Amino acid sequence: MKTEFYQEMCSAIIAAEKQAAELVMHAHGVMAEKKTGRRDVVTEYDRKVQTLLMELLRKAAPQAHFFCEEMNEQDSLDAEQLFIIDPIDGTMNFVRGFNHSCISVAYAERGKLCASAVYNPYVDEMFSAVAGQGAYLNGRRIHVDDVPLSESVVCFGTAPYDSTLWGRTFSLAEKVIGASLDLRRQGSAELDLCSVAAGRAGLYFELSVSLWDYAAGMLLVNEAGGRCCRTDGSPLPFDGTKTDIAAGSPRALADFLRLAGE
């Protein structure tokens, strides 16, 4: 019965993201506002998308709580029913017209991820997962590509909001580019995780992300046969604190963890 309910939640998330995507695709005159600094920005569309998602998801689960990136909508992470929302992951891409951003929602119960979907409206790719039921792209089952790091393309993030992490970030990047096929810096943590789940990239790493940056993608990677953890191999937190992250196929991730520990 629970699986059936989680599938219903996943369907509700997908429908809500499809509707909210209309706001993204018809955006014009996008103005960025600074949050914590000039690289950390928000737009009126982030807020509009989040408000619409919350409105639509409340209809599917009236008792649900929300943990969202914008407008301080951050209820308890131990809630019986919780939606974790990043209305536009890749806001800088959105502002600058790179057309590589997504809408991300995960559904959790008392800290356990149960369903999620990540939608890239620019290429009409809907990634979805239900706990124990596998990961999908537009309804087609997807899997990680379990090859060594030496045979993998790697996605990474630069932790742009924390300059104290740049040295370690690029030191790791230098190690990884020597051990892999190539690097990609695409500007959306959730879409990088989706690339791992779909077998496009063997690995993704970044030294500072928030829960809404990885919750939906984490379930996708896990359900696609991969693994997500911190860069020292320890479990990712579910307490709302910022964290480092590494996600990949079993072989590529093992290779990366050895490199990161050197």
Side-chain angles (χ1 to χ4, degrees):
M1 289 296 293
K2 273 290 188 181
T3 296
E4 189 174 310
F5 177 73
Y6 298 154
Q7 289 171 335
E8 290 175 4
M9 289 300 97
C10 190
S11 295
I13 292 169
I14 289 170
E17 289 183 348
K18 286 272 192 176
Q19 189 167 334
E22 293 299 312
L23 293 172
V24 174
M25 297 304 288
H26 292 96
H28 62 277
V30 178
M31 297 292 291
E33 304 167 26
K34 296 176 184 177
K35 291 198 289 186
T36 60
R38 64 188 177 88
R39 295 182 178 89
D40 187 12
V41 298
V42 65
T43 72
E44 64 176 305
Y45 292 97
D46 293 82
R47 290 188 286 263
K48 285 179 178 179
V49 168
Q50 181 172 301
T51 298
L52 179 58
L53 289 171
M54 292 175 66
E55 176 186 319
L56 295 172
L57 293 170
R58 277 198 180 103
K59 293 178 181 178
Q63 305 304 314
H65 294 255
F66 293 88
F67 189 82
C68 310
E69 180 173 13
E70 311 302 345
M71 301 182 291
N72 294 315
E73 291 284 352
Q74 296 176 10
D75 294 335
S76 171
L77 289 167
D78 292 326
E80 183 64 38
Q81 295 184 323
L82 180 75
F83 289 105
I84 303 165
I85 298 175
D86 192 340
I88 302 178
D89 184 49
T91 299
M92 187 63 77
N93 283 350
F94 174 65
V95 171
R96 305 301 299 185
F98 275 89
N99 292 357
H100 188 77
S101 306
C102 64
I103 301 170
S104 168
V105 180
Y107 172 76
E109 292 183 351
R110 296 201 178 279
K112 178 189 175 184
L113 294 169
C114 304
S116 72
V118 176
Y119 185 47
N120 180 349
Y122 297 104
V123 292
D124 192 25
E125 287 191 337
M126 179 67 75
F127 297 86
S128 61
V130 170
Q133 302 299 306
Y136 294 83
L137 168 56
N138 291 346
R140 176 180 58 84
R141 188 77 178 260
I142 55 175
H143 302 274
V144 298
D145 186 18
D146 194 15
V147 297
L149 188 61
S150 60
E151 298 175 31
S152 301
V153 168
V154 175
C155 296
F156 79 114
T158 54
Y161 313 146
D162 188 347
S163 61
T164 66
L165 297 174
W166 296 349
R168 183 173 173 233
T169 293
F170 287 100
S171 175
L172 262 178
E174 185 174 8
K175 287 183 180 181
V176 170
I177 196 168
S180 67
L181 294 176
D182 204 354
L183 296 179
R184 298 287 182 269
R185 162 60 169 140
Q186 302 182 103
S188 168
E190 291 284 19
L191 288 179
D192 285 346
L193 288 163
C194 289
S195 290
V196 171
R200 296 169 180 171
L203 181 84
Y204 157 68
F205 74 91
E206 188 160 2
L207 299 188
S208 181
V209 289
S210 297
L211 181 60
W212 48 70
D213 294 319
Y214 67 84
M218 178 179 177
L219 183 60
L220 281 155
V221 170
N222 290 343
E223 288 296 318
R227 179 184 166 220
C228 300
C229 59
R230 298 189 65 185
T231 56
D232 63 1
S234 61
L236 287 166
F238 200 88
D239 59 5
T241 57
K242 285 187 176 292
T243 184
D244 54 336
I245 185 172
S249 69
R251 295 171 73 185
L253 182 60
D255 290 344
F256 171 80
L257 292 176
R258 281 193 291 271
L259 270 182
E262 291 177 354

